[in-house]
Amino acid sequence: HPWETVTTAAMQKYPNPMNPSVVGVDVLDRHVDRSGKLHSHRLLSTEWGIPSIVKSLIGTCRTKTYVQEHSVVDPVEKTMELKSSNISFTNLVSVDERLVYKPHPHEPDKTILTQEAIITVKGVSLSSYLEGLMANTISSNANKGREALEWVINRLNAEIEEFTASARGTMRNSMAAAAFVEK
Amino acid sequence: MNSVGEACTELKREYDQCFNRWFAEKFLKGESAGDPCGQLFKRYQLCVQKAIKEKDIPIEGLEFMGPSKGKGENSS
């Protein structure tokens, strides 16, 4: 999909069926900087399906994990960069992720995603064996991320088609002559 | 999608609708001047900040944390 489509979908990524644990998204700050780039700071709340007996012991506030995300969209250079890091009450594991979306250099209807993640357990970076384990999870999550955006893009397209169909219906009914562009 | 503060969800939805439209129709096409969503954002923000304080959510510094490593490229 072209970069504009992917970027628009990424801004509306949640909710989607591939990330059912994301239960809340909020924008903490958003502004366009002097060079025309859009900065957004967002807070994501995730709920991991902890059994209710555990919830009743530790209280519902502590069952949510929060992720803070900083994204920068440059509409001139056509890049979107996302940095996210999880915040939780236990701080045992932290996951820092960085994603960059850019148009494909040779195929303008495609977008390239570069993704990296750093996992830290209790202040020590994971290495060797554990890295291998996490790498599988990360790459399957990366695929999930792509599927999630694909789902959002399809949903947005369906909304546009629905809107176009009802607009057509209205025009026909009112017998107005108008020109519109077919996709 | 809900807000972290249950009371803020409606304000959030109104702001999101405004923002998504502006983003796709103006910002990505190079017309970033003007902010039609400013008022909606302010109202929504006040609500969210109150909810974050009430829930004691520890928002730390917003810089990228962790040691920097070389990155791997995957094309998709």
Side-chain angles (χ1 to χ4, degrees):
Chain A
H1 296 283
W3 179 83
E4 285 81 357
T5 305
V6 172
T7 307
T8 303
M11 300 304 270
Q12 304 180 53
K13 194 174 174 184
Y14 305 104
N16 73 70
M18 289 80 189
N19 299 99
S21 55
V22 177
V23 298
V25 179
D26 279 297
V27 181
L28 300 177
D29 177 51
R30 186 169 264 148
H31 63 275
V32 179
D33 70 14
R34 268 183 299 230
S35 57
K37 297 184 207 159
L38 178 74
H39 292 253
S40 307
H41 284 111
R42 302 204 303 181
L43 178 72
L44 277 58
S45 325
T46 62
E47 183 85 64
W48 292 100
I50 293 172
S52 46
I53 186 148
V54 180
K55 271 191 198 174
S56 61
L57 288 172
I58 65 177
T60 32
C61 288
R62 297 176 66 95
T63 62
K64 289 214 175 81
T65 306
Y66 296 98
V67 176
Q68 56 185 24
E69 179 200 89
H70 174 204
S71 62
V72 185
V73 183
D74 186 339
V76 176
E77 294 296 311
K78 298 206 182 181
T79 62
M80 174 174 183
E81 184 174 339
L82 261 149
K83 287 178 188 168
S84 71
S85 154
N86 72 337
I87 10 172
S88 69
F89 292 100
T90 58
N91 278 324
L92 278 174
V93 180
S94 48
V95 181
D96 301 322
E97 269 201 323
R98 183 170 174 258
L99 286 78
V100 182
Y101 293 97
K102 284 186 183 162
H104 193 292
H106 308 299
E107 295 177 68
D109 275 351
K110 289 191 179 158
T111 304
I112 291 206
L113 166 65
T114 309
Q115 190 165 359
E116 62 179 299
I118 297 170
I119 303 118
T120 310
V121 178
K122 278 193 179 172
V124 178
S125 284
L126 291 184
S127 60
S128 57
Y129 170 72
L130 286 170
E131 256 175 15
L133 219 62
M134 294 308 289
N136 286 335
T137 312
I138 301 260
S139 62
S140 71
N141 280 346
N143 277 333
K144 209 169 69 164
R146 234 182 37 220
E147 278 169 26
L149 281 196
E150 192 67 48
W151 183 90
V152 176
I153 289 167
N154 285 331
R155 177 178 68 84
L156 293 176
N157 284 339
E159 280 172 14
I160 292 171
E161 272 171 32
E162 205 179 289
F163 179 74
T164 312
S166 71
R168 254 189 232 139
T170 310
M171 282 185 169
R172 224 177 275 131
N173 286 339
S174 63
M175 305 263 288
F180 55 23
V181 180
E182 288 269 272
K183 234 185 106 157
Chain B
M1 187 85 275
N2 293 333
S3 168
V4 69
E6 293 79 13
C8 313
T9 297
E10 197 43 51
L11 288 170
K12 173 188 134 67
R13 285 217 183 107
E14 276 177 29
Y15 165 70
D16 277 348
Q17 264 184 351
C18 179
F19 170 76
N20 289 330
R21 209 177 306 134
W22 171 82
F23 184 75
E25 292 171 15
K26 300 270 175 193
F27 181 73
L28 286 185
K29 300 189 176 165
E31 305 165 33
S32 59
D35 181 14
C37 313
Q39 279 295 74
L40 286 170
F41 186 59
K42 278 191 189 110
R43 279 206 298 256
Y44 162 53
Q45 274 299 284
L46 284 170
C47 185
V48 167
Q49 275 164 24
K50 203 171 111 198
I52 286 171
K53 279 206 188 86
E54 278 167 12
K55 295 190 179 212
D56 232 349
I57 299 172
I59 312 260
E60 295 162 19
L62 297 164
E63 293 301 300
F64 186 58
M65 289 160 14
S68 48
K69 272 184 174 183
K71 56 181 168 190
E73 278 220 1
N74 295 313
S75 80
S76 67

